[in-house]
Amino acid sequence: MAAATQRAAQDATWLISRTTGRRGFWGLVGVLVFGWATVAAIIGFVKAPHVDSGVLVMIALPFLVMAVVLALEGLGQGLVRVDEQGYRTILGRRRAWSDVLGVGTGQLEGQTVPVVAVRSSAGVPEQDSFAGFAESDAATLVDAFLARVDPAGFSSVALPESYWAAVEAEADRAASVVRAEGGREPLSRERVEFGFPGLPSAIRLDYGTNDAGEGVELLVRESTELALVASGRRWLRQNRKRSADPATQVAALFGPHTTTAKPSKGAGFDRLAVRPEGGRPLAFNAEEPDRFDG
């Protein structure tokens, strides 16, 4: 892509996270130490089976497993190889610089981590996050990437019709659920930017404001997110694997409820707790600032 031209040729190199890299190093040391101890204990048990040698095997083996996990985590998350063509991690797939749309940082489990938006094989943006380069290591990776690539930007993306067909179908489904649950119709339905600046990639179903003056909307891509607009900010429902369908929760935001702010204590997001009368509380995170504003 013309907008994603590579910079001057540079030698391939490994970027190493100081924190996660140290964890991987000590994990490897643990593998060697506990591996030797486990093998020695097994050999001793085979030569002279008795309770003591069996206990030694049972003690050494769990430590070996933990050391292997620690080493894999450190090496898998704390090492990224960059060269003239692109980047890759030990456990991840290779990405070409020409597919990079944006480089920035985002929040992951209360920590700031590097995030890279790339064009997938289907032509739809997706994001790679680097949990091993959290906090103080984040700038190291971001700067190294930006030294090698000019991100193409999201205006260079034309989402395929198949993508919009799936999003429109999900929006139809969500709207029908809201209609069945509370008899409400969206005041407006429009394609909007969501997560990728300059690229409309979601459908917003606007259900207006409730009696508390809070805006209620659904943001739809391949899945649906419930959003609440309050105190001049947009808040997104925390969705987990077993969370209820967000479309079924719209009616609760128009009924009697209390809304309590829970400011962040230095890490993670500010939060809102919405307690519908007679229902389970709903947790909302403040919408994350633009990850790719730089």
Side-chain angles (χ1 to χ4, degrees), residues 106-119:
Q107 291 290 312
L108 181 66
E109 297 181 354
Q111 292 187 307
T112 300
V113 303
V115 181
V116 179
V118 294
R119 192 192 318 269

Side-chain angles (χ1 to χ4, degrees), residues 233 235 262-265 267-272 284-287:
R233 305 170 71 180
W235 309 75
K262 295 185 175 182
S264 168
K265 296 182 179 179
F269 299 97
D270 292 339
R271 290 179 169 83
L272 283 183
F284 289 79
N285 284 339
E287 184 175 21

Side-chain angles (χ1 to χ4, degrees), residues 32-262:
L32 294 175
V33 172
F34 292 112
W36 174 84
T38 301
V39 170
I42 291 174
I43 292 174
F45 182 77
V46 171
K47 288 183 175 180
H50 52 78
V51 174
D52 290 344
S53 58
V55 170
L56 287 176
V57 172
M58 294 177 64
I59 292 174
L61 190 57
F63 282 100
L64 175 60
V65 172
M66 286 190 292
V68 170
V69 171
L70 191 65
L72 289 176
E73 181 186 66
L75 295 175
Q77 297 184 355
L79 291 175
V80 177
R81 180 178 172 82
V82 294
D83 55 33
E84 294 180 30
Q85 286 73 44
Y87 68 89
R88 67 178 175 87
T89 61
I90 290 179
L91 302 179
R93 53 185 164 176
R94 182 173 181 83
R95 301 289 198 179
W97 294 128
S98 58
D99 290 331
V100 173
L101 302 171
V103 178
T105 58
Q107 291 290 312
L108 181 66
E109 297 181 354
Q111 292 187 307
T112 300
V113 303
V115 181
V116 179
V118 294
R119 192 192 318 269
S120 71
S121 58
V124 178
E126 56 188 20
Q127 298 184 38
D128 289 342
S129 59
F130 298 83
F133 286 79
E135 300 299 341
S136 60
D137 285 322
T140 300
L141 188 139
V142 169
D143 291 345
F145 277 24
L146 292 178
R148 292 174 177 266
V149 65
D150 292 316
F154 300 98
S155 60
S156 67
V157 177
L159 294 173
E161 286 302 317
S162 57
Y163 171 86
W164 282 116
V167 174
E168 292 285 358
E170 172 63 10
D172 290 342
R173 185 204 66 79
S176 67
V177 171
V178 176
R179 187 182 307 116
E181 293 280 334
R184 292 185 177 275
E185 296 288 347
L187 302 182
S188 65
R189 173 173 172 156
E190 59 182 338
R191 294 183 179 184
V192 296
E193 299 175 13
F194 185 46
F196 304 116
L199 175 66
S201 60
I203 291 176
R204 182 168 71 98
L205 302 177
D206 182 5
Y207 285 93
T209 56
N210 56 26
D211 291 340
E214 301 163 338
V216 180
E217 55 191 42
L218 292 176
L219 295 164
V220 182
R221 289 190 290 202
E222 292 92 339
S223 59
T224 298
E225 293 198 49
L226 176 62
L228 189 70
V229 181
S231 303
R233 305 170 71 180
R234 183 156 67 184
W235 309 75
L236 302 177
R237 171 81 169 97
Q238 293 181 24
N239 291 324
R240 298 181 174 87
K241 289 183 178 180
R242 297 185 180 182
S243 294
D245 181 354
T248 65
Q249 299 169 335
V250 169
L253 298 180
F254 283 95
H257 68 274
T258 59
T259 302
T260 305
K262 295 185 175 182

